Amino acid sequence: MKILFLDQSGQPGGAELCLIEIAKPYRDRCLVGLFSDGPFKQLLEQEQIPVEVLANRPLQVRKDSGWITGIKSLGQLLPLVARVVQLSKQFDVIYANTQKALVVGALASFLSQRPLVFHLHDILSAEHFSSTNLSLAVTLANRFASQVFATSEAARTAFVEAGGRPEITHVVYNGFDPTQYECDRIQIEQVRQQLEFPGKFLIGHFSRLSPWKGQHILLEALQRCPENITTIFVGDALYGEQDYAEMLQKRVIELGLQERVRFLGFRSDIVPLMCACDAIAHTSIAPEPFGRVVVEAMLCQRPVIAAQAGGVVELVQLGVVDWLVPPGDPEQLAAVICLYQTQQEWTQTFAHQARIQSQQRFHRDVINQQVAQLLEQVCNRDRHYISYSPHPTPHTQSTRL
Ligand code: UDP
Ligand code: GLC
């Protein structure tokens, strides 16, 4: 099966990192079409996944944009759709991995008569999206997508509550290769030395800098913890949220945390950094659609403290519920951090269990098998229609109404 993947971003966010694992088995028969250039393109190239940047500048529409911005962007959109229509003739299925990719993919699917799959990495709620974007996403997915892959039950529920068709929606979790999450003592010691927090209890936060990722909540919590608790923030303002990054730096000074906090920017060596931490904090203040960092921390066998909302609740199982705290509550977060510091043997037992569970539940091979089966269904339905319909009309009408 030949797949044309579409993604709007040149930045390696979670949705894009997820796509890398999904595209790998198809590297000899797929193309990833990006609407923007950037480091994500290089990551795909490193993995020998064919990639092409399809637009010469990023689409101007944002999550909170209304109809007027949408209409203004048509000048950019139409040439992109034309290019995707042309490309899609060489592929069996169009796989839209982001919301803007859905818009382009839906139009291209209609025009080229190729089936469309939409991978939904968001919780479609008013907290994250303007009403225009929300209804556009649901309408296009309902009308044009043969299947919607929701990144979690939480994402699926929100989609269905917003009017999305439940019968085409399947939960597809992110897949990981557990062998990539191993680290030895020497590597860990080296990282600890570089971080220059000798003998301190180290909390790691691994996320792009963005208000809803709640890095400020961890700062507020840290101020309530003893002096020997320190933090590294790994990640950058990937989507232009530079003001928030600056605000965090200022807040560190206001709270007198300069000696206890380091901002490391975007890093590609996540695994040794995670392994060098005593615990990992996830602090999103809006429901997290999935939360790759939570699974990655579990795979690295690190104790996690995560915000109890969205997909994250589905990621931790059996006896690890103590690790969840209410979103946006620095008081509670500080209490759990202090507990972890004093109960390290106990947290290691949980971390060990969580590692074993996550190695099975989120194994890349299991997820990729599920994806392959679902894609096979899409293509079979399509072929069936084309070969048996006495009066072939566009497949979009037969399979998607
Ligand atoms: N990440 C990374 N380098 C960084 C910060 C984050 O590679 O400096 C990765 C992180 O390991 C995770 C992804 O970025 O795989 C973020 O995905 P997540 O689902 O946690 O959140 P998103 O940013 O997609 O909302
Ligand atoms: C998005 C979501 C994140 C999720 C990732 C992969 O970036 O914000 O929660 O983990 O997609 O599905």
Side-chain angles (χ1 to χ4, degrees), residues 220-233:
E220 305 296 329
L222 198 62
Q223 194 217 9
R224 293 165 165 85
C225 293
E227 292 274 320
N228 63 349
I229 299 187
T230 53
T231 289
I232 53 169
F233 287 100

Side-chain angles (χ1 to χ4, degrees), residues 13-15 17 207-208 212-213 234-235 265-267 270 288 291-293 296:
L17 296 174
S207 261
R208 58 193 155 94
W212 77 271
K213 291 289 185 180
V234 182
F266 185 88
R267 298 278 293 247
I270 288 298
E288 183 76 51
R292 290 176 59 86
V293 286
E296 289 169 335

Side-chain angles (χ1 to χ4, degrees), residues 126-314:
E127 237 167 329
H128 284 286
F129 293 93
S130 71
S131 57
T132 307
N133 275 344
L134 218 147
S135 60
L136 184 67
V138 173
T139 308
L140 290 178
N142 279 352
R143 173 68 184 82
F144 295 103
S146 297
Q147 282 183 5
V148 175
F149 296 173
T151 194
S152 60
E153 283 292 348
R156 182 180 195 272
T157 303
F159 176 68
V160 171
E161 279 173 2
R165 289 166 57 198
E167 69 278 12
I168 58 166
T169 314
H170 308 270
V171 174
V172 175
Y173 287 138
N174 282 222
F176 300 80
D177 175 2
T179 60
Q180 284 178 6
Y181 294 86
E182 282 160 10
C183 238
D184 60 38
R185 283 255 139 248
I186 300 166
Q187 273 177 302
I188 294 175
E189 278 316 312
Q190 276 171 353
V191 176
R192 291 290 299 212
Q193 273 172 16
Q194 284 160 12
L195 292 175
E196 296 176 340
F197 278 136
K200 307 282 185 191
F201 189 79
L202 182 61
I203 304 288
H205 192 291
F206 295 76
S207 261
R208 58 193 155 94
L209 303 179
S210 173
W212 77 271
K213 291 289 185 180
Q215 280 88 355
H216 58 286
I217 302 293
L218 181 53
L219 287 181
E220 305 296 329
L222 198 62
Q223 194 217 9
R224 293 165 165 85
C225 293
E227 292 274 320
N228 63 349
I229 299 187
T230 53
T231 289
I232 53 169
F233 287 100
V234 182
D236 211 342
L238 289 189
Y239 305 119
E241 285 141 321
Q242 209 51 50
D243 292 355
Y244 181 66
E246 281 160 27
M247 186 283 272
L248 288 173
Q249 303 269 4
K250 279 197 202 129
R251 196 69 188 132
V252 168
I253 298 168
E254 283 163 13
L255 296 171
L257 295 171
Q258 297 93 313
E259 299 305 315
R260 297 167 59 193
V261 172
R262 302 234 194 300
F263 290 94
L264 305 188
F266 185 88
R267 298 278 293 247
S268 41
D269 53 344
I270 288 298
V271 174
L273 284 167
M274 272 196 180
C275 291
C277 292
D278 295 298
I280 309 296
H282 164 269
T283 57
S284 295
I285 54 172
E288 183 76 51
F290 178 80
R292 290 176 59 86
V293 286
V294 174
V295 176
E296 289 169 335
M298 294 193 292
L299 291 170
C300 291
Q301 203 173 312
R302 297 292 88 202
V304 190
I305 312 162
Q308 187 166 16
V312 167
V313 179
E314 301 157 43

Side-chain angles (χ1 to χ4, degrees), residues 315-351:
L315 308 183
V316 290
Q317 276 191 327
L318 281 185
V320 282
V321 280
D322 309 47
W323 301 17
L324 298 173
V325 292
D329 187 340
E331 205 74 58
Q332 287 252 23
L333 182 59
V336 180
I337 292 174
C338 295
L339 180 73
Y340 277 23
Q341 190 206 11
T342 52
Q343 305 285 329
Q344 292 185 37
E345 232 172 83
W346 171 74
T347 56
Q348 265 311 313
T349 314
F350 281 133

Side-chain angles (χ1 to χ4, degrees), residues 54-56 73-86 104:
L54 306 177
N56 45 20
S73 69
L74 278 180
Q76 269 182 292
L77 193 67
L78 296 180
L80 190 54
V81 172
R83 177 74 184 122
V84 174
V85 169
Q86 190 189 30
V104 174

